[in-house]
Amino acid sequence: MPTPTTVAAEVRAALVERVVAWFQAARRDLPWRAPERTPWGVLVSEVMLQQTPVVRVEPAWRAWLERWPTPAALADASTADVLRAWDRLGYPRRALRLRECAQAVVERHGGQVPDDEAALRALPGVGEYTAAAVRAFAFGRRAVVVDTNVRRVLARAVTGLALPAPTPTAAERAVAAAVVPAGDAAASAWAAASMELGALVCAARSPRCAACPVADLCAWRAAGYPGDTHAHRRRTQAWHGTDRQCRGRIMAVLRAADDAVDRTALDAHMAATPADAQVTRCLAGLIEDGLVEQTRGAYHLPREGADAR
C-alpha cells in the first residue's frame, strides 16, 4: 500500500482538484448541506446516516429538526417520544445516544455543539468519524473525514485495491491524512466531495468508471480492475429472519400502540407462535438495552415521571 511519502504530491493535488470540481456540479441538494444548516443539524444527520440510506434519513431529519431544533430541546424529550420519532431508521439505540449527546452538549457546552474534535469525541455516541465530519461539514474546519465511501475511493484511486479491508488500517489512515489539503476550506470541500464520489460514482458493486472525474488517475483501473483481495474476510448476513429484523418488528408494534401490549397480542402482531423463542430473546435484549419496559406482564416503550407509576 502506498505511504504518505509515496503518494505523489501532483497526484494528490489533481485528485483533490478534480473531485472537488466534479462535486460542485454533481452534488445532491441535501438539507444538512444548506447554507442555513446548524452544527446541531449536521450532527443529527451524521448520526442518522450511520448505516441508513439518505432517502430514508432526509424526511426523518426534517421532522426531527422541526421538533427538536436545538440540543436543549432534545435533552428534555421523553424516551418514548424519541423512539417514536426515530421510527424505522434502524438501530434505535442511536436515538437514545443522540439524546444523551444533546444532554451532554447542554451540560458541558452551554447548548452549543463544540467545534473542537476532542470535545466532540467526548460526547456520547460520537466516534472518530462523526467528530471529524461535524468539524468539517458544520464548521468548515480541516479534519480527516473517512467513511466507507471515502475509504473505497482512496482504496481504488490511490492504492489500486478493489475494496478496502473490512476494518481500517493504520496505513490506510495515513494515506487518507496525506491526501487531505492543508487549508480548512479546501479540506472540508475534499471531505464532502470524496464522500459524494464514493456514494454516486465509485460504488461498491457497480462503479460508474466512465463518469469518474479521476478515472485516468485511478490505480485500480490502471491495474486492470483486480478482484477483491479481502473477499474471504467479509461476512454477509441475510436480513429476513434475523434477530435484528425481529427486534425491529417488536419496536414497530410498540411504537404504534397507545398502551402496553401483552405477550399474546404481541405474538399475534408478529405472526409468531406462542412464546416464540426468538421473540422472547429479542424482548430480553430490548429490555436490557433500555428500549422496552415490561409492566405487569405487558410490554411498552420506556415511561418516565408520572407515566411510570
Side-chain angles (χ1 to χ4, degrees):
M1 173 179 286
T3 65
T5 56
T6 62
V7 181
E10 60 269 23
V11 173
R12 297 199 303 266
L15 185 68
V16 171
E17 181 180 0
R18 291 198 209 169
V19 173
V20 169
W22 167 87
F23 178 68
Q24 298 308 314
R27 60 182 291 173
R28 289 170 291 181
D29 183 19
L30 301 175
W32 44 86
R33 290 176 177 165
E36 64 273 16
R37 68 189 181 279
T38 64
W40 171 242
V42 172
L43 176 54
V44 171
S45 75
E46 290 299 336
V47 173
M48 287 185 169
L49 286 164
Q50 294 167 11
Q51 298 178 294
T52 307
V54 167
V55 68
R56 289 174 56 197
V57 167
E58 184 170 352
W61 181 90
R62 292 182 185 277
W64 190 279
L65 267 293
E66 183 176 346
R67 186 170 188 177
W68 298 304
T70 64
L74 180 62
D76 291 333
S78 73
T79 302
D81 283 347
V82 168
L83 291 173
R84 284 196 172 94
W86 196 257
D87 198 23
R88 294 181 177 271
L89 287 180
Y91 301 100
R93 277 177 291 184
R94 288 183 294 164
L96 301 189
R97 294 293 278 172
L98 186 55
R99 186 183 62 169
E100 291 173 20
C101 178
Q103 292 166 343
V105 168
V106 171
E107 293 167 3
R108 303 174 196 171
H109 304 287
Q112 301 299 313
V113 175
D115 68 350
D116 178 75
E117 200 157 344
L120 285 164
R121 290 194 65 174
L123 296 173
V126 176
E128 178 182 0
Y129 162 76
T130 302
V134 171
R135 184 170 165 81
F137 304 145
F139 299 104
R141 303 292 295 277
R142 186 185 189 278
V144 182
V145 183
V146 185
D147 76 338
T148 302
N149 291 313
V150 177
R151 292 184 66 215
R152 189 166 56 252
V153 167
L154 294 177
R156 289 172 176 168
V158 178
T159 65
L161 298 174
L163 292 170
T167 56
T169 64
E172 186 182 351
R173 289 190 178 95
V175 169
V179 174
V180 177
D184 283 341
S188 61
W190 162 252
S194 56
M195 190 179 299
E196 193 82 331
L197 184 69
L200 301 184
V201 174
C202 196
R205 295 184 180 178
S206 302
R208 298 168 51 228
C209 297
C212 180
V214 292
D216 61 314
L217 300 176
C218 181
W220 183 51
R221 179 174 178 265
Y225 304 109
D228 179 14
T229 58
H230 300 289
H232 64 289
R233 298 174 56 196
R234 304 187 196 281
R235 293 181 299 175
T236 59
Q237 182 184 38
W239 161 254
H240 184 72
T242 62
D243 280 6
R244 185 182 162 208
Q245 183 195 36
C246 182
R247 285 167 60 104
R249 293 175 65 197
I250 292 171
M251 291 298 295
V253 171
L254 299 185
R255 282 196 305 268
D258 294 328
D259 205 345
V261 180
D262 66 27
R263 182 58 191 269
T264 300
L266 181 61
D267 285 336
H269 279 293
M270 300 280 292
T273 57
D276 180 273
Q278 185 182 45
V279 175
T280 299
R281 180 173 64 251
C282 290
L283 278 168
L286 289 167
I287 291 171
E288 183 177 355
D289 290 341
L291 299 170
V292 170
E293 291 179 353
Q294 182 179 15
T295 303
R296 293 188 293 276
Y299 302 91
H300 52 84
L301 297 181
R303 296 171 177 169
E304 291 143 1
D307 289 340
R309 292 195 292 271

